[in-house]
Amino acid sequence: MKKLAVLGSTGSIGQSTLEVVRQNPDNFSVFALAAYSKVEIIFQQCLEFKPTYVVLIEPQAASELTQMLTLANSVTQVLVGASELDQLVAVAEIDVVVAAIVGGAGLSSTLAAARAGKTILLANKEALVMSGQIFIDQVKQNNAKLLPVDSEHNAIFQSLPLDYQTDYLQQQITDFGVHSIILTGSGGPFLNTPLTELATKTPAQACKHPNWSMGQKISVDSATMMNKGLELIEACWLFGVEPDFIEVLIHPQSVIHSMVRYIDGSIMAQLGAPDMKTPIAHCLGFPERIYSGSEHFDFVKAGQFEFQAPDFNRFPNLKLAQIAFKAGQEMTTVLNAANEIHVEAFLNNQIKFTQIAELNQTVMEKLQPNKATDLASIFAIDQEARAVATAGVAR
Ligand code: NAD
Ligand code: MG
């Protein structure tokens, strides 16, 4: 019986994780849940999964939850705030930390899990995008285990040999006959929208992803392909490669979740229905297979698979990600921070869809961050980029 901490339990990944747990009641128990503020959802989760602890970041929500749990005679104890969360993930009872808090807010607790040597199921992208070197170093130094939940990285991982998988952070991918990685992406809801119409697209249209049902931030990132840019950066850190080792390929059906090319011409791919329960179940069960509750994919019903190369005019964010990675960890922090501010501004109808990438580029051009060797300097760069981006939006 593995004991889990599900961070970001009220979100899309958090809820999918709990669905997989529900399928496997004899293998997993929930020791802790954490989220920002959604009291009603997390209250129900507490009643169902009976965690020992629940953390809410927002104090008013935490006191409401405390009252509700007391009235319901629940034994779950409520903790409040980010530093209590960082302490909680390190406790000995927890085996597996599911890092599914969205954005830079998830960084600190994910690093705390690495320092405590936990098995980390990594959904949060920012730990690698903002602090790739620091995070990977912490994982290695503390013998933590890192398993990628993000569907593409999970697919790449599954397409690599078991010898590599069991100790991959210590291995050279090229020692296993790997030629390159093919990172697939759907191209999002605006893949075929005339370029001249992109500026008029609304948040509701951007959030309507053709294949995946996800949180708002990542849905907008899929529409701009910033998500693929962040994933390129993630993949470089996870598999120890440079961006030119990774070919980004648009595959609108999102059935092939990513692939690995070998030197003999073979290509290994992981396929399945676009349902995050599959990569989550893979990571929870690894190296064994467990039920996910996901529907099996039907090739005959699905029809054709299509592929195309990404167009940087349509998806300038993808180019920005490549440039930022080459400039270093500090510039990927800048890009990520600027993008969070601009996506938020777009969702609030303050800027147009096309301005997300334009303003991301402006912020990258304005800042020349110093080399960061610790988290405090990373957060300082993050804050500066956010301030510059916020001022840009106000103009
Ligand atoms: P979501 O918006 O649905 O959920 C986010 C969760 O984070 C919620 O539980 C929320 O309460 C919590 N949260 C937000 N701010 C917080 C804060 N300051 N402190 C603590 N908790 C906070 O997001 P999601 O779609 O589930 O994505 C979660 C992460 O997984 C993101 O980093 C995303 O990029 C990544 N991811 C998601 C998917 C997907 O299909 N949804 C796929 C791959 C990777
Ligand atoms: Mg992904």
Side-chain angles (χ1 to χ4, degrees), residues 46-347:
C46 287
L47 296 189
E48 181 180 354
F49 294 97
K50 303 181 174 59
T52 306
Y53 293 102
V54 58
V55 188
L56 284 181
I57 302 302
E58 212 279 305
Q60 180 61 38
S63 76
E64 259 175 62
L65 180 65
T66 308
Q67 283 175 15
M68 290 162 79
L69 287 173
T70 309
L71 279 176
N73 287 322
S74 162
V75 292
T76 300
Q77 208 177 314
V78 181
L79 304 174
V80 194
S83 72
E84 299 228 333
L85 175 59
D86 288 0
Q87 282 171 35
L88 178 64
V89 299
V91 303
E93 286 94 329
I94 296 171
D95 304 306
V96 176
V97 175
V98 181
I101 290 174
V102 65
L107 184 52
S108 179
S109 50
T110 308
L111 264 146
R115 275 196 300 277
K118 302 298 184 191
T119 294
I120 302 167
L121 270 50
L122 187 68
N124 172 280
K125 294 169 199 273
E126 286 71 19
L128 288 170
V129 170
M130 293 172 64
S131 57
Q133 189 67 62
I134 298 169
F135 179 57
I136 294 287
D137 286 351
Q138 289 289 357
V139 169
K140 285 188 191 170
Q141 278 165 27
N142 298 290
N143 274 325
K145 285 210 179 66
L146 187 58
L147 292 167
V149 168
D150 204 347
S151 57
E152 295 76 5
H153 307 79
N154 185 267
I156 295 163
F157 185 87
Q158 291 201 48
S159 304
L160 287 158
L162 184 64
D163 275 358
Y164 176 80
Q165 290 173 344
T166 47
D167 195 20
Y168 73 106
L169 293 176
Q170 310 286 348
Q171 305 282 2
Q172 273 288 335
I173 201 168
T174 46
D175 290 345
F176 293 81
V178 174
H179 172 274
S180 55
I181 288 168
I182 304 171
L183 180 66
T184 58
S186 70
F190 305 146
L191 179 60
N192 298 310
T193 303
L195 286 178
T196 49
E197 288 175 23
L198 282 181
T200 64
K201 292 296 167 189
T202 64
Q205 290 168 319
C207 288
K208 227 188 229 145
H209 195 278
N211 309 323
W212 299 92
S213 151
M214 308 183 288
Q216 283 198 319
K217 158 73 168 53
I218 188 171
S219 295
V220 176
D221 282 348
S222 294
T224 65
M225 279 194 94
M226 183 74 253
N227 185 48
K228 214 46 56 186
L230 298 176
E231 290 179 352
L232 176 97
I233 296 163
E234 270 185 276
C236 287
W237 284 115
L238 281 171
F239 304 111
V241 299
E242 293 295 315
D244 53 12
F245 200 81
I246 299 172
E247 177 189 337
V248 177
L249 178 68
I250 292 182
H251 164 44
Q253 290 74 24
S254 298
V255 173
I256 302 174
H257 299 315
S258 277
M259 304 183 252
V260 173
R261 271 187 210 277
Y262 288 84
I263 51 176
D264 62 0
S266 300
I267 299 169
M268 301 296 284
Q270 188 263 357
L271 291 77
D275 182 339
M276 289 306 294
K277 292 197 296 296
T278 297
I280 291 167
H282 168 263
C283 292
L284 281 172
F286 183 79
E288 276 151 41
R289 297 280 175 177
I290 60 172
Y291 286 100
S292 68
S294 163
E295 273 188 32
H296 285 282
F297 181 71
D298 183 334
F299 280 93
V300 177
K301 270 196 201 146
Q304 290 202 320
F305 287 0
E306 296 158 302
F307 304 97
Q308 56 178 275
D311 169 5
F312 291 125
N313 289 322
R314 180 176 296 278
F315 302 115
N317 270 335
L318 192 52
K319 188 86 207 160
L320 293 181
Q322 293 177 336
I323 294 169
F325 187 86
K326 285 180 187 148
Q329 173 180 253
E330 298 71 24
M331 196 52 89
T332 58
T333 299
V334 168
L335 174 58
N336 177 66
N339 186 61
E340 282 196 25
I341 297 293
H342 296 140
V343 169
E344 188 65 36
F346 168 67
L347 288 171

